[in-house]
Amino acid sequence: MAVSMVFIMGMLALVIDLGLAFLSTGEQQKAADAAVYSSGRLLPVPIGNTAKVNQIKNSAINYASLNGFEDLTQDDVILGKVRNGQYTEIKVIVDNSVPMYFAKIFGIDYLDLSRSAVAKLSPINRTTGVVPIGLTKEEIESRIANNNLTHVTLKYGVHGGSTSFFGALDLDGQGGGASDYRIWISQGYAGEISVGDILLEESGNMVGPTYQGFDERYNACTHFGAQVGGSGCTAEDFEPSCPRIVKVPVYSFGTDKKTVVVEGFAAFLLENQTNDGYITGSFLNMVSNGASSGNNVGEGTEGDFGLYNLILSE
């Protein structure tokens, strides 16, 4: 009987206690995944910006707490993969001590378990909401290399005469003209645009529709007191969902000079316009909706122009 009881208690310890431990690891993994994915949408984060670093770490701690794990500390949230002075990856470690019941007979009071999750930024290669103005791959790569991404003239006016004039684009290939173009500026194109797509150059400079579409979009910002005299979203402080932020195609010219080939996408914060068709603003690094290429953020990665999706990598 004594020998049998030892065997029975051992089986109970194995089945019940280890079963509880298994359930705990499942909950830990869910908490780690939720924390890393939700807080990771704040990436990329400048390595020297203590406020932003604390914000993303505290966000991860908060999401872990909402999922039942309240003991996370900032040391459990690890930022990594620095590119251009910014963290592009986040790791969250969730530890837990699961109390044992039957296993106490064998001197095991607790079982320490650890689970983790990692999310990284990956360049977007297919998305909706694109606006019908953009820039060449050579231009943005040069700007990235020289850290010249703020207060940029993206679209020039009728008499610009500059090699940086990028013109208007026909996103659906149907030749919709001024009406569609204005809607695409103010609301973004509803269809999907992918890397490798061939787009037509839109005839004319679209000064009027550009002005109208910009005005609608810029004035729709409701953040940072924009509706009561405040600055609204700026390159330093912005909400990723703000209407002032547009997705622009990065392209190379086609062989016939009447078409462009999409090479990737960038995020551009509208800052100013003139009544003769000039648009200026700043490029941002940020997370948005769209399909990711799966590639890591880093020098030499094709299609990496600052617009990213967030994916779980571990």
Side-chain angles (χ1 to χ4, degrees), residues 117-264:
V118 178
K120 69 175 184 179
L121 298 184
S122 181
I124 283 178
N125 64 1
R126 185 174 74 252
T127 189
T128 58
V130 175
V131 296
I133 52 177
L135 74 167
T136 65
K137 180 181 178 182
E138 291 76 15
E139 167 96 7
I140 196 167
E141 285 180 340
S142 174
R143 290 188 175 279
I144 290 173
N146 294 288
N147 195 29
N148 181 21
L149 297 168
T150 58
H151 315 308
V152 175
T153 300
L154 180 66
K155 185 180 185 303
Y156 285 76
V158 175
H159 303 296
S162 169
T163 57
S164 296
F165 171 69
F166 305 113
L169 298 174
D170 180 1
L171 297 180
D172 65 2
Q174 302 299 313
S179 179
D180 282 347
Y181 179 86
R182 179 187 61 78
I183 293 173
W184 294 340
I185 289 284
S186 64
Q187 301 175 20
Y189 177 53
E192 282 192 335
I193 302 292
S194 301
V195 169
D197 284 355
I198 297 176
L199 306 178
L200 300 176
E201 292 183 5
E202 184 73 75
S203 59
N205 201 25
M206 301 291 182
V207 172
T210 296
Y211 188 90
Q212 296 164 1
F214 179 104
D215 199 50
E216 290 176 25
R217 191 150 198 160
Y218 187 85
N219 292 329
C221 175
T222 59
H223 311 111
F224 305 102
Q227 302 297 312
V228 291
S231 63
C233 288
T234 65
E236 292 73 30
D237 291 294
F238 60 87
E239 290 293 330
S241 61
C242 181
R244 289 184 185 178
I245 300 173
V246 298
K247 300 176 188 177
V248 299
V250 176
Y251 55 77
S252 58
F253 286 106
T255 56
D256 59 0
K257 301 300 183 182
K258 293 295 183 181
T259 60
V260 298
V261 181
V262 178
E263 303 282 356

Side-chain angles (χ1 to χ4, degrees), residues 10-51:
M11 292 300 295
L12 286 172
L14 181 65
V15 174
I16 297 178
D17 287 346
L18 292 185
L20 291 173
F22 177 78
L23 290 175
S24 176
T25 59
E27 295 302 317
Q28 285 174 253
Q29 192 63 60
K30 289 179 183 178
D33 290 348
V36 80
Y37 191 75
S38 299
S39 60
R41 299 193 67 81
L42 298 174
L43 292 171
V45 174
I47 59 175
N49 192 326
T50 303

Side-chain angles (χ1 to χ4, degrees), residues 275-313:
N275 58 11
D276 56 356
Y278 286 77
I279 288 180
T280 57
S282 294
F283 289 100
L284 306 173
N285 293 325
M286 58 172 283
V287 174
S288 185
N289 63 303
S292 69
S293 64
N295 296 329
N296 293 325
V297 175
E299 299 293 346
T301 300
E302 287 296 319
D304 184 358
F305 306 116
L307 190 64
Y308 304 109
N309 197 354
L310 185 72
I311 61 175
L312 289 173
S313 58

